[in-house]
Amino acid sequence: MSKIRMTTPLVEMDGDEMTRILWQMIKDQLICPFVDLKTEYFDLGLKERDRTRDQVTVDAAEATKRLGVAVKCATITPNAARMEEYDLHEMWKSPNGTIRALLDGTVFRAPIVVAGIDPYVRTWKKPITIARHAYGDVYKNCELQIPGPGKVELVYTPADGGEEVRATVQEFDQPGIAQGIHNLDASIASFARASFEYALSTNQDIWFAAKDTISKTYDHRFKDIFAEVFEAEYKARFEEAGIEYFYTLIDDAVARVIRSEGGFIWACKNYDGDVMSDMLSTAFGSLAMMTSVLVSPHGYFEYEAAHGTVQRHYYKYLAGETTSTNPVATIFAWTGALTKRGELDDLPELVEFAHRLEKATIDTIESGVMTGDLAAITSLPNPKRATTEEFIAAIAARM
Ligand code: NAP
Ligand code: MG
């Protein structure tokens, strides 16, 4: 059989721990036998990030701007324990944070719905897609530990020499902590546009929520920009499509989401999206059944799994024990990227291949062969709990 041809390479960002193991298995067994895979490879594994002083992350983001489509493996975001484990020079920032800051854009996360894996929330009948703003707020913050009494202020110094603006954050009379965060009107507007466009393209209602009653300037700005963009650019198109835009407070949104039937887009600020997408993916079945794509306003796409590096399974793997790690979201990251590459380069065979791989993956689960996370919750009778290797081999056999 001759392999399916590619023209433009994908940006391939390798990662850490168990997902790095999955990455290689997926390439070797599910993609490379069928596709003449072309990638520009960047090793975002923590060792290489540390060796290059995180330059490799920036290079990978720049390559994405050049080539347009990237696929990324989960990566470790270092904390104090990782500093020791990897003997790091610095506590490098989250690679996802760095990449999102460079590409801007919105992250869309949708559950992969499979027969036999039923949502925990009984009212949910359709997927709920989270549109996560991927720029700024606490992910691009500036923090201080306050050692003792003193004043913390916000100071704005206009570049044109205009008058300085100051606001007191807190007069500290004891040790504490302080944080400065920001966002940009242009980024919020492109977040709103990406969300409205996605709602139109999937013909679903869209909700947006913030805490404008408490954050009267910051969160209120998000609410206002969404309303302005909607009124000026989308109102008529939404009416025509018969879909709705709905704004409410974040806590009210959470309550309504639980009572809903699903089948809508939930646009979330950066932090809300981070937290709520983990809750939603788990409630829809498993963290490992959530697709994720960063869509930048400049037309770049970065595909990844929503879950992390599955550290606990990796240590078992290193100890020579069998694992049952779910590769579905990582497979769908690859198929998402290959589909987009195929569409952009007009390669229908590549798009067709990606769809077949998705179907083979879903069919494998629906036939009763699945990893432990799904076997534990499925409503299918007598599921076979496959090891990581067995599950991938079962998909390969279908391919
Ligand atoms: P995690 O890797 O998402 O795993 C948390 C738990 O969820 C696992 O221990 C496992 O539960 C379950 N799980 C997640 N993915 C699974 C899969 N594919 N198959 C089966 N079970 C799965 O989160 P974490 O352990 O908190 O974080 C580990 C590392 O990942 C951290 O260093 C963090 O910085 C990084 N991280 C990276 C990204 C990213 O690159 N996008 C996102 C989040 C976290 P059981 O152990 O109960 O089986
Ligand atoms: Mg999260």
Side-chain angles (χ1 to χ4, degrees):
M1 189 188 112
S2 69
K3 289 194 186 181
I4 295 159
R5 190 174 61 88
M6 288 181 69
T7 44
T8 320
L10 287 175
V11 178
E12 175 185 354
M13 307 183 193
D14 208 343
D16 287 300
E17 300 194 309
M18 200 60 205
T19 40
R20 189 179 179 101
I21 308 295
L22 295 177
W23 196 257
Q24 199 60 47
M25 293 166 104
I26 292 167
K27 279 174 61 180
D28 288 349
Q29 296 177 54
L30 302 179
I31 299 174
C32 291
F34 311 101
V35 177
D36 187 16
L37 186 66
K38 285 197 171 72
T39 72
E40 272 192 27
Y41 179 87
F42 295 86
D43 185 357
L44 266 57
L46 186 51
K47 267 190 208 149
E48 185 63 9
R49 275 183 278 147
D50 192 54
R51 191 189 69 80
T52 63
R53 306 294 193 266
D54 212 22
Q55 183 60 40
V56 66
T57 308
V58 175
D59 291 347
E62 292 301 333
T64 306
K65 291 185 179 174
R66 183 161 42 79
L67 296 173
V69 184
V71 56
K72 180 182 170 293
C73 181
T75 47
I76 292 169
T77 299
N79 55 15
R82 301 296 199 171
M83 291 291 291
E84 212 167 298
E85 183 183 353
Y86 285 83
D87 190 21
L88 300 179
H89 290 92
E90 232 179 86
M91 203 186 287
W92 306 109
K93 294 211 162 166
S94 151
N96 287 327
T98 303
I99 294 164
R100 286 169 197 157
L102 287 166
L103 301 184
D104 196 353
T106 302
V107 175
F108 293 93
R109 287 186 175 171
I112 301 160
V113 176
V114 179
I117 309 297
D118 309 312
Y120 283 97
V121 179
R122 274 170 288 129
T123 50
W124 290 355
K125 306 233 168 358
K126 298 174 218 158
I128 297 169
T129 301
I130 291 224
R132 173 181 170 188
H133 188 207
Y135 179 85
D137 298 353
V138 72
Y139 301 86
K140 207 168 167 20
N141 64 358
C142 163
E143 302 184 325
L144 285 178
Q145 187 155 2
I146 309 300
K151 180 154 86 164
V152 173
E153 288 181 293
L154 284 179
V155 182
Y156 166 61
T157 315
D160 65 7
E163 205 177 324
E164 195 174 82
V165 182
R166 281 172 178 270
T168 301
V169 175
Q170 180 69 9
E171 298 266 11
F172 284 86
D173 61 2
Q174 56 185 291
I177 43 183
Q179 180 183 64
I181 60 173
H182 82 281
N183 223 300
L184 304 172
D185 285 0
S187 178
I188 299 167
S190 69
F191 167 40
R193 284 191 188 97
S195 303
F196 292 140
E197 287 292 341
Y198 197 86
L200 279 167
S201 76
T202 58
N203 205 53
Q204 299 182 86
D205 289 348
I206 173 158
W207 302 9
F208 177 56
K211 194 75 185 176
D212 63 284
T213 46
I214 298 296
S215 174
K216 290 183 163 51
T217 302
Y218 199 101
D219 275 26
H220 214 288
R221 190 79 191 126
F222 277 82
K223 179 185 177 182
D224 287 347
I225 289 175
F226 263 73
E228 284 159 21
V229 170
F230 181 72
E231 284 296 322
E233 301 168 34
Y234 290 94
K235 198 171 181 198
R237 291 171 69 193
F238 269 51
E239 269 164 22
E240 208 171 300
I243 58 172
E244 275 180 14
Y245 167 56
F246 169 61
Y247 176 85
T248 187
L249 287 170
I250 184 67
D251 33 3
D252 180 50
V254 169
R256 285 171 184 263
V257 163
I258 296 295
R259 294 194 305 262
S260 77
E261 276 197 3
F264 57 91
I265 320 280
W266 183 10
C268 289
K269 291 180 63 207
N270 210 347
Y271 177 84
D272 298 335
D274 182 349
V275 175
M276 290 302 158
S277 63
D278 283 10
M279 187 200 67
L280 278 186
S281 57
T282 306
F284 267 104
S286 164
L287 245 186
M289 296 295 281
M290 190 76 144
T291 62
S292 181
V293 55
L294 173 74
V295 181
S296 98
H298 319 288
Y300 318 129
F301 297 82
E302 185 221 357
Y303 294 82
E304 62 168 337
H307 61 79
T309 60
V310 212
Q311 180 183 22
R312 208 180 62 83
H313 296 209
Y314 181 58
Y315 288 160
K316 281 175 72 178
Y317 172 87
L318 287 183
E321 293 172 42
T322 60
T323 57
S324 187
T325 313
N326 188 335
V328 172
T330 306
I331 293 171
F332 275 66
W334 275 99
T335 55
L338 290 169
T339 301
K340 181 54 72 180
R341 196 66 272 170
E343 285 168 4
L344 293 174
D345 294 353
D346 196 17
L347 299 170
E349 308 82 18
L350 193 60
V351 176
E352 168 72 14
F353 165 78
H355 290 164
R356 279 177 189 236
L357 179 49
E358 290 178 355
K359 184 166 180 338
T361 304
I362 287 173
D363 287 351
T364 300
I365 299 170
E366 292 183 347
S367 79
V369 178
M370 60 193 81
T371 46
D373 55 324
L374 300 182
I377 58 169
T378 185
S379 57
L380 294 177
N382 310 317
K384 176 178 170 5
R385 184 186 187 280
T387 63
T388 311
E389 289 80 2
E390 287 166 347
F391 183 68
I392 290 179
I395 300 171
R398 272 176 196 274
M399 290 300 287

